[in-house]
Amino acid sequence: MDAITGWWDDFFWGSLVVVELFFVALIMTVLFGLIGAGAKLSNSRIAQNIAAGYTIVFRGTPEILVLLLFYFGSAIALTSIAQIFDPEVKFVDFPPFWAGSFAIALIIGSYATETFRGAFLGVDPGQIEAARALGLSNLQTFIYVRIPAMWRLALPPFGNHMLSLIKDTALVAIIGLEETLFVAEQAIATTAKPFTMYILVGLIYLGFSTVITLTVMVLEKYANRHLEVAR
Amino acid sequence: MSKADTQLMIELENVDKFFGSFQALKGVSLTVGKGEKVVVCGPSGSGKSTLIRCINRLEEHNSGKIVINGHELTSQVKDIDAVRREVGMVFQSFNLFPHLTVIENLMLAPRLVRKTSKNENRENAMRLLERVKIPDQAEKWPSQLSGGQQQRVAIARALCMNPEVILFDEPTSALDPEMISEVLDVMTDLAQEGMTMIVVTHEMGFARSVADKVVFMDEGEIVETGPPETFFDNPKSDRTKQFLEQILTH
Amino acid sequence: MSFDIDLIIDSIPKMLMGIGLTFQLLFLSLLLGTALAIILLIMRISGRWYLSWPTMAFIYIFRGTPILVQIFIIYYGFPQLEIIRESIFWPILKEPFGCAIVALTLNTGAYVSEIFRGGVLGVDRGLKEAGAALGLSVTQRFIYITSPIALRLCLPAYSNDVISLMKSTALASTITLLDMMGIARTIVAETYAPYEIFTSVMVIYLIITWIIQRTFGWIEKRMSRHIRKEA
């Protein structure tokens, strides 16, 4: 256990990076999920097909592959663009934080697309009719009736997506992001205690997923509060 | 029974409605005057629900004209919105917003559509809850109320928008028998206060005592129209006679 | 940015050599993991706290931590511990293949047991009561009534998990195994052509995913045919 002393700081900062990555990716995930669901539910054949292609590709490809593809791919793209301006440029690095969060958001977003789509379809059409009969505009109906009804249905599966999200952040270490696994590797190099260090990383992630699970439980209770007291 | 004014509230002229190849409304023409109470009855599938749903554009009619309080109902959004502000609707399955309390259900549309101030909104809402005799349920969730109470809330919600006419789509069909009368009582009060109402229902007792005009529909057409005395005691068409026999003798 | 077709044509056969390892990882972990899942399920629903609590803890840990971390703990971490080095499992655990199988199996076991549990909970209570009324014992009811119905119910979730497992096999490449992903990364390191190589291997993974989905779709159809006939 003393092996860890001296490393607490680094693990703390590494965990912070994980938290940042999580929230950035989460926001993008919700965005991609809503856009994807919207495309799938729209009347445009093109939009539906693009969304279908999106979900197929990102649900069927290993996450590590997506990460590597994005990281190296964007580095190359950036390098090519940079070389247009300055032919001397050899290699432009793409920050792993953004490549990582973007890639993870694309992956989880493809699952969220299906979840949001199902949730939107599960909204009681009668409520939508009542809202329209009352004269609410499409936008107002969407915000005040559709979304509240839909997120109650989406919450349990979306909670799982958030768990997947936090666990996928570990993969970003592969493209060099200095988060917990990276710190662990440095610690192992000095202390030669791989088991201790990796268990610590495991515990950190276990802590994060516990927080997420508890948060989702609380949110679910809140979302369902009007149902629990049924006569 | 109130006298129908000469001012026309609703006018349907030769309205057709198709669902794919199935024709739900065949050349339907109907007028409803201000303050008039119209009961629409008929067997299932006769098009009565479709008829009133076309009036507030929950369904789009394919041909013919629908005019409400001077506004013609077209596919233009501002026409539709204008109509929906004048026309209230009460659904068979209540359709209360489950994630809002009773009073929030009432306050939502006036807040968003008419931009009513919070205080005025709440006062109106409470007044209407008193009118439908359940002011004490204001802070409850819809799921905590009985069916009859929920439907009364739904009526109050429709009233909150101050409509000129209210459409009722089989308002008591989903209720347990002992709760039907509490809802019909509220509707009768509404009628006596002069509201223009179109009610699709099987409750013939209500039709007899409240309606100015009874309309019988079958297979997408209006078969017969008439004041309740003539309609129930002296139906002209055979189809009407058949329907009344089935309805009244069970 | 050039797209080197020749490189792709050259590399595909090399990557397909890794497919054998990918499939070995997939099938072996699936088999062992499903078997483990059944054991865990029985322990979980046994009603005896000394069986169900450890099981719940196991599932909680394995679903709450990233697979990558689990793999690292087993491959890099275990050799640190003397007990492991002196145990009978050492021959398996000192090989990267063995470690990968162990990690994937334990992980799959945790996820699939929850899927099975969901299926079991989804069986209509009335059916079990009918079985009891007919005089069937608890075990008999479980084997002949609950299980067949539960299996059909959890088929979609199970097929999703198989696809997840397939994607997780790609992580074996991080501990030196030369499955498809491992070979792909090697080629990329030699040729600096990430786009071409990673995109091609992605296509291969997508084809495998498609095959898995079709297979399960067929199985589901066959299992539901009985239902439709009886109706």
Side-chain angles (χ1 to χ4, degrees):
Chain A
M1 273 315 113
D2 350 273
I4 309 184
T5 15
W7 289 101
W8 288 116
D9 263 28
D10 306 82
F11 275 114
F12 177 75
W13 293 115
S15 307
L16 231 54
V17 174
V18 172
V19 173
E20 284 178 304
L21 195 58
F22 174 76
F23 281 114
V24 170
L26 184 62
I27 296 174
M28 289 197 270
T29 300
V30 172
L31 218 75
F32 294 154
L34 285 175
I35 297 177
K40 282 208 165 182
L41 293 169
S42 78
N43 289 320
S44 152
R45 267 300 211 78
I46 310 174
Q48 284 178 19
N49 286 334
I50 297 180
Y54 166 64
T55 49
I56 291 174
V57 167
F58 286 96
R59 294 192 335 167
T61 310
E63 295 83 355
I64 188 173
L65 181 51
V66 175
L67 262 172
L68 289 169
L69 191 54
F70 259 88
Y71 178 60
F72 286 117
S74 46
I76 289 197
L78 225 57
T79 310
S80 308
I81 296 177
Q83 280 173 341
I84 299 177
F85 295 105
D86 178 7
E88 296 290 305
V89 172
K90 281 277 189 304
F91 190 71
V92 178
D93 209 356
F94 197 90
F97 181 87
W98 294 103
S101 46
F102 191 73
I104 293 180
L106 280 175
I107 296 171
I108 309 287
S110 67
Y111 287 99
T113 297
E114 279 307 298
T115 298
F116 290 164
R117 177 176 158 269
F120 275 125
L121 288 176
V123 175
D124 179 12
Q127 282 182 57
I128 308 294
E129 285 191 349
R132 289 172 65 199
L134 283 166
L136 267 63
S137 74
N138 278 335
L139 184 62
Q140 291 169 330
T141 309
F142 185 77
I143 299 176
Y144 293 98
V145 180
R146 234 192 196 109
I147 296 258
M150 160 266 185
W151 90 293
R152 183 175 66 81
L153 293 171
L155 203 47
F158 193 72
N160 279 328
H161 298 330
M162 291 205 282
L163 284 175
S164 301
L165 217 166
I166 191 89
K167 290 186 286 179
D168 284 347
T169 62
L171 295 173
V172 192
I174 307 280
I175 56 174
L177 185 62
E178 291 177 21
E179 48 76 76
T180 51
L181 271 178
F182 190 84
V183 173
E185 265 156 55
Q186 292 183 312
I188 293 168
T190 356
T191 63
K193 295 235 185 275
F195 185 75
T196 321
M197 296 309 166
Y198 285 132
I199 289 282
L200 183 56
V201 173
L203 287 171
I204 293 175
Y205 273 104
L206 199 57
F208 283 143
S209 49
T210 307
V211 169
I212 293 178
T213 308
L214 289 174
T215 310
V216 172
M217 272 192 351
V218 170
L219 287 175
E220 277 186 44
K221 264 212 151 165
Y222 177 75
N224 285 300
R225 71 203 189 287
H226 56 271
L227 289 178
E228 287 182 278
V229 270
R231 271 212 189 171
Chain B
M1 267 180 298
S2 46
K3 213 119 178 262
D5 261 278
T6 46
Q7 184 192 336
L8 277 184
M9 183 59 62
I10 298 183
E11 242 187 293
L12 280 88
E13 216 180 284
N14 239 324
V15 170
D16 285 328
K17 169 71 187 161
F18 288 88
F19 288 108
S21 54
F22 171 69
Q23 190 165 10
L25 294 176
K26 300 175 186 162
V28 170
S29 298
L30 179 68
T31 57
V32 179
K34 189 170 162 80
E36 208 178 345
K37 339 278 171 220
V38 176
V39 166
V40 181
C41 61
S44 332
S46 53
K48 31 191 220 300
S49 279
T50 313
L51 177 62
I52 61 171
R53 287 162 66 91
C54 282
I55 295 178
N56 72 349
R57 204 76 178 173
L58 287 180
E59 305 286 355
E60 287 175 29
H61 59 284
N62 296 108
S63 67
K65 224 164 71 154
I66 300 184
V67 181
I68 292 136
N69 212 9
H71 307 283
E72 182 174 349
L73 195 51
T74 68
S75 50
Q76 302 269 14
V77 173
K78 57 178 177 62
D79 291 335
I80 301 177
D81 283 346
V83 162
R84 286 187 178 152
R85 268 179 245 131
E86 313 283 346
V87 178
M89 187 159 198
V90 174
F91 299 84
Q92 182 176 350
S93 45
F94 334 138
N95 289 341
L96 293 180
F97 303 128
H99 59 288
L100 301 176
T101 61
V102 162
I103 192 137
E104 283 168 357
N105 258 277
L106 267 60
M107 285 168 61
L108 182 70
R111 169 164 77 100
L112 295 179
V113 180
R114 292 206 199 274
K115 319 270 196 261
T116 323
S117 79
K118 200 164 174 195
N119 286 329
E120 200 186 320
N121 206 349
R122 190 161 246 271
E123 271 175 42
N124 281 336
M126 281 309 293
R127 214 179 316 129
L128 284 165
L129 281 179
E130 280 165 24
R131 195 163 156 196
V132 299
K133 306 198 184 49
I134 39 174
D136 45 308
Q137 308 289 350
E139 304 296 337
K140 296 244 176 88
W141 302 107
S143 57
Q144 294 176 276
L145 272 56
S146 72
Q149 290 171 323
Q150 288 187 50
Q151 193 62 300
R152 286 188 274 155
V153 172
I155 296 177
R157 182 178 64 174
L159 286 170
C160 269
M161 288 295 284
N162 247 317
E164 297 283 343
V165 55
I166 302 191
L167 310 171
F168 291 83
D169 190 357
E170 303 211 33
T172 56
S173 299
L175 294 176
D176 289 334
E178 65 268 16
M179 296 194 241
I180 295 183
S181 53
E182 72 194 51
V183 173
L184 289 180
D185 284 343
V186 167
M187 289 166 65
T188 310
D189 285 341
L190 214 56
Q192 284 170 350
E193 286 162 20
M195 173 68 70
T196 315
M197 295 162 63
I198 307 184
V199 183
V200 174
T201 185
H202 298 296
E203 295 292 325
M204 293 302 137
F206 175 81
R208 242 194 233 268
S209 57
V210 171
D212 295 312
K213 187 153 81 186
V214 183
V215 172
F216 173 64
M217 280 186 76
D218 192 12
E219 293 187 1
E221 297 174 312
I222 293 188
V223 173
E224 191 169 334
T225 319
E229 315 84 52
T230 349
F231 185 85
F232 288 114
D233 300 327
N234 247 328
K236 294 192 210 95
S237 145
D238 281 334
R239 277 196 277 175
T240 320
K241 287 193 197 139
Q242 230 181 355
F243 174 73
L244 286 174
E245 254 162 61
Q246 290 172 327
I247 271 249
L248 294 171
T249 52
H250 75 269
Chain C
M1 242 164 25
S2 61
F3 212 74
D4 196 343
I5 306 285
D6 292 321
L7 181 60
I8 298 180
I9 300 179
D10 194 49
S11 310
I12 289 194
K14 289 193 200 140
M15 292 191 288
L16 286 174
M17 288 207 303
I19 224 179
L21 195 57
T22 300
F23 278 151
Q24 281 178 44
L25 289 164
L26 177 59
F27 286 124
L28 203 50
S29 312
L30 189 59
L31 217 62
L32 296 172
T34 307
L36 176 61
I38 297 178
I39 298 174
L40 288 172
L41 175 70
I42 297 178
M43 287 172 69
R44 177 85 169 76
I45 58 178
S46 67
R48 291 164 219 205
W49 64 268
Y50 50 89
L51 288 179
S52 53
W53 286 15
T55 313
M56 290 197 284
F58 175 85
I59 295 174
Y60 173 68
I61 292 174
F62 274 88
R63 282 171 34 127
T65 50
I67 311 182
L68 188 63
V69 175
Q70 294 163 12
I71 292 177
F72 280 5
I73 291 178
I74 296 177
Y75 181 66
Y76 292 117
F78 275 3
Q80 180 193 327
L81 307 170
E82 256 194 69
I83 335 167
I84 302 279
R85 291 201 302 268
E86 291 172 8
S87 77
I88 37 164
F89 296 118
W90 184 233
I92 304 176
L93 292 176
K94 69 174 178 178
E95 295 299 317
F97 182 76
C99 290
I101 295 286
V102 169
L104 292 173
T105 299
L106 293 174
N107 201 280
T108 306
Y111 277 95
V112 173
S113 78
E114 278 300 289
I115 293 176
F116 283 168
R117 191 171 79 93
V120 167
L121 288 176
V123 177
D124 198 85
R125 210 160 136 236
L127 295 170
K128 295 190 251 198
E129 290 177 352
L134 285 167
L136 297 175
S137 75
V138 177
T139 328
Q140 288 171 326
R141 294 202 295 271
F142 187 74
I143 301 177
Y144 296 102
I145 300 182
T146 311
S147 303
I149 302 176
L151 239 71
R152 187 177 52 84
L153 286 176
C154 56
L155 220 41
Y158 188 72
S159 74
N160 276 332
D161 197 77
V162 173
I163 293 174
S164 281
L165 179 57
M166 192 268 300
K167 296 197 289 180
S168 303
T169 60
L171 292 175
S173 64
T174 61
I175 55 173
T176 79
L177 283 171
L178 288 176
D179 66 328
M180 286 201 300
M181 193 66 210
I183 296 180
R185 289 171 77 178
T186 321
I187 300 179
V188 169
E190 287 166 9
T191 63
Y192 296 102
Y195 265 142
E196 292 90 328
I197 305 296
F198 284 146
T199 316
S200 336
V201 79
M202 179 172 83
V203 171
I204 303 178
Y205 274 112
L206 286 175
I207 295 177
I208 300 178
T209 305
W210 183 80
I211 296 176
I212 297 177
Q213 282 175 327
R214 290 292 271 207
T215 311
F216 273 100
W218 178 81
I219 298 178
E220 254 188 280
K221 268 220 167 103
R222 284 212 65 199
M223 291 193 88
S224 305
R225 242 199 306 187
H226 293 230
I227 307 295
R228 264 181 265 153
K229 260 201 198 138
E230 281 160 8

